[in-house]
Amino acid sequence: MEKKLHTFFQSGLLDKYILDETSASERLTVENFIDTYPEVASEYERLQNNLEIIAKATAIEAPTTILDAILNEIEEDNTPVIKLEKAQHSTPWYSIAASVVALLFAGGYYMKTQQNLDLLKENQVVVEEIFDLRSDIEDNNKRLDNLMDEFMKLNNPETEKYVFRGNDRAKDLKTVAYINPVDETSMIDVVSLPQLPEDQTYQLWAEMQDRMVNLGILDASQKKLQSVPYVKDALALSITIEPNSHLNTTAADSAVAEIDLNNKRNN
């Protein structure tokens, strides 16, 4: 059975199933493994949790539809009315007929010209909408590529998960670090950071044998998975509260959360 499970996990079918990229037969195979083996069901739950972590995103407002643009153009179209003055004296019938023909011709020409202008405006709106849609599609494709990249990093067996929990100075602080020493990548998921005064910031530090290395400022508003510099041979990571004026120095008692990297790597 262990060999069968090993072969299944190595096939990558479970990852494809999570991302909805399996065929009908592959989907039945995966679902059968999930129902039959607790190990597969547990791994399925873990992959779902990882996908949920990296899928944090704000809703993208849909672009204005072409129909709305055309309707707006129609509502704004006010065709002027030509006012005819009442004749004060009699006019020969052929003069009246000629005038009517001229007015009809002028009115028809004006309406045709106005229709052409309206069509040009509508065509321009359509072109702009198409460019907007193409831009949105490209942006969405980039977001999907980034999502896939982060998902693969989280699912890498070499990726270790570390949870920062705040001390008495920041009890509600919770942040998760994902570190892969093989690929030399680091990511931070800011779950919650207590509000600070405007003159203070949260900063991430790597503790080396002989010094502290600043890895940047943690922004409480950026509640999404974000990359941070990987520091080889770091013994620990810590989150500190520092004044805005101290971006490259840290006090001995400023740490509000720490994780030990050395112990976990040695286990």
Side-chain angles (χ1 to χ4, degrees), residues 23 34-35 50 59 68 80 140 148 157 162 175 189 193 202 207-208 210 225 231 244 249 263:
S23 63
I34 293 174
D35 293 337
N50 285 346
D68 288 341
N140 287 336
M148 279 293 300
Y162 302 85
T175 300
D189 181 19
L193 291 175
Y202 289 102
E207 179 183 345
M208 307 298 291
D210 56 348
L225 206 62
V231 180
N244 288 338
T249 59
N263 287 340

Side-chain angles (χ1 to χ4, degrees), residues 20-32:
D20 196 22
E21 295 180 352
T22 53
S23 63
S25 61
E26 290 175 334
R27 183 163 55 254
L28 290 175
T29 300
V30 173
E31 291 173 350
N32 180 57

Side-chain angles (χ1 to χ4, degrees), residues 132-197:
D132 289 341
L133 288 172
R134 287 179 178 174
S135 178
D136 289 341
I137 291 172
E138 291 176 358
D139 291 341
N140 287 336
N141 287 338
K142 290 179 182 178
R143 291 190 183 95
L144 287 175
D145 290 341
N146 293 334
L147 187 66
M148 279 293 300
D149 184 56
E150 292 174 354
F151 181 71
M152 297 307 294
K153 287 179 180 178
L154 284 183
N155 289 336
N156 191 316
E158 301 296 337
T159 299
E160 298 287 351
K161 177 181 177 180
Y162 302 85
V163 179
F164 288 94
R165 298 190 185 277
N167 58 20
D168 292 338
R169 296 179 59 198
K171 293 182 179 180
D172 295 331
L173 183 150
K174 185 176 180 183
T175 300
V176 183
Y178 298 90
I179 301 176
N180 187 322
V182 177
D183 293 342
E184 297 189 349
T185 57
S186 298
M187 294 183 292
I188 289 288
D189 181 19
V190 177
V191 180
S192 64
L193 291 175
Q195 188 68 32
L196 289 177

